[in-house]
Amino acid sequence: MIDLAAARAKLGRESVRLPDPVPPHPLLVGRTEIGRGEYSIVLDHPDPERVYKVISSPADLFLYTADDRPQGPHFPRVFANHGVIGRAVSGYPFYLLEVERLYPLGEDGPAATLAALLIDFYWSACQQWIQLGPDMGRIALYHLTQHPPSIDVSLLDAIKALSDFVEAYEVLPDILNANNLMMRKDGTLVFSDPVFIA
């Protein structure tokens, strides 16, 4: 197994958390923050099967709201887009979405094993294409579609859809961070935040 912290550091993707406070919005009053990433804040929702997700990255906005975004069993379901609710310190607008609740992979289980397999294959491909610098991740993801590990057809289709999305929207993939790979209650592996803008 690769050292994920070292791998992300080599890619300039060390663990960074969005420094902004939760933006004010009537739907978020009294909501508890349950997670935070580089470009998003996740808060609880009155419906336990949903969460409020405040996003600040254009890459995430495309992934969650574009008409041609990747969809299917390995991508998050989006229930509502409440639009712009403020501006992040980065200068990007904050958008408020309602999305399905996803769960961390944990240490064991089929989804965690599958995620580790994908991360290892992806990292190996990154190492193969490291001379391409910032484009390494895009090429590594495409390489994964051409030389996949032994995985379910639906997951291979999801990887292909993600690769096509990365190319179409000129964003970069990030599947080295286990927080970007989550699961549903039924154990389905989901690409929760697999893209970023450099």
Side-chain angles (χ1 to χ4, degrees):
M1 183 60 113
I2 64 170
D3 179 343
L4 291 179
R8 287 180 57 76
K10 283 183 183 178
L11 295 173
R13 307 287 299 146
E14 297 88 345
S15 181
V16 176
R17 297 283 179 244
L18 187 68
D20 302 75
V22 174
H25 189 276
L27 290 173
L28 302 181
V29 173
R31 296 283 129 215
T32 301
E33 183 176 320
I34 56 176
R36 183 177 284 256
E38 290 181 59
Y39 303 104
S40 63
I41 305 168
V42 179
L43 300 107
D44 72 335
H45 189 284
D47 178 344
E49 298 303 316
R50 297 184 183 198
V51 294
Y52 288 115
K53 187 160 189 167
V54 178
I55 59 172
S56 67
S57 167
D60 289 343
L61 180 64
F62 303 149
L63 182 73
Y64 282 99
T65 65
D67 290 338
D68 60 346
R69 70 188 182 275
Q71 297 186 56
H74 299 288
F75 293 98
R77 287 183 218 115
V78 179
F79 300 109
N81 176 358
H82 296 287
V84 176
I85 64 164
R87 189 163 296 278
V89 171
S90 65
Y92 290 122
F94 272 131
Y95 285 81
L96 176 59
L97 307 175
E98 290 182 45
V99 300
E100 70 175 305
R101 181 181 290 265
L102 298 172
Y103 300 89
L105 296 174
E107 298 287 325
D108 301 318
T113 301
L114 195 51
L117 178 69
L118 287 180
I119 289 169
D120 281 342
F121 267 76
Y122 178 72
W123 178 244
S124 294
C126 284
Q127 291 297 292
Q128 182 178 344
W129 300 102
I130 200 160
Q131 74 277 8
L132 296 177
D135 288 328
M136 157 186 65
R138 289 178 34 250
I139 301 302
L141 186 63
Y142 178 75
H143 180 82
L144 191 59
T145 69
Q146 301 303 301
H147 307 283
S150 185
I151 55 175
D152 182 270
V153 171
S154 70
L155 185 55
L156 180 57
D157 289 345
I159 293 168
K160 288 177 180 175
L162 180 59
S163 181
D164 291 345
F165 175 82
V166 162
E167 289 303 315
Y169 282 85
E170 298 181 7
V171 295
L172 297 173
D174 183 6
I175 60 172
L176 285 178
N177 184 347
N179 293 330
N180 294 343
L181 298 168
M182 299 185 79
M183 67 180 192
R184 293 194 178 93
K185 274 185 180 176
D186 68 4
T188 302
L189 183 67
V190 178
F191 294 104
S192 58
D193 287 308
V195 293
F196 70 102
I197 291 180

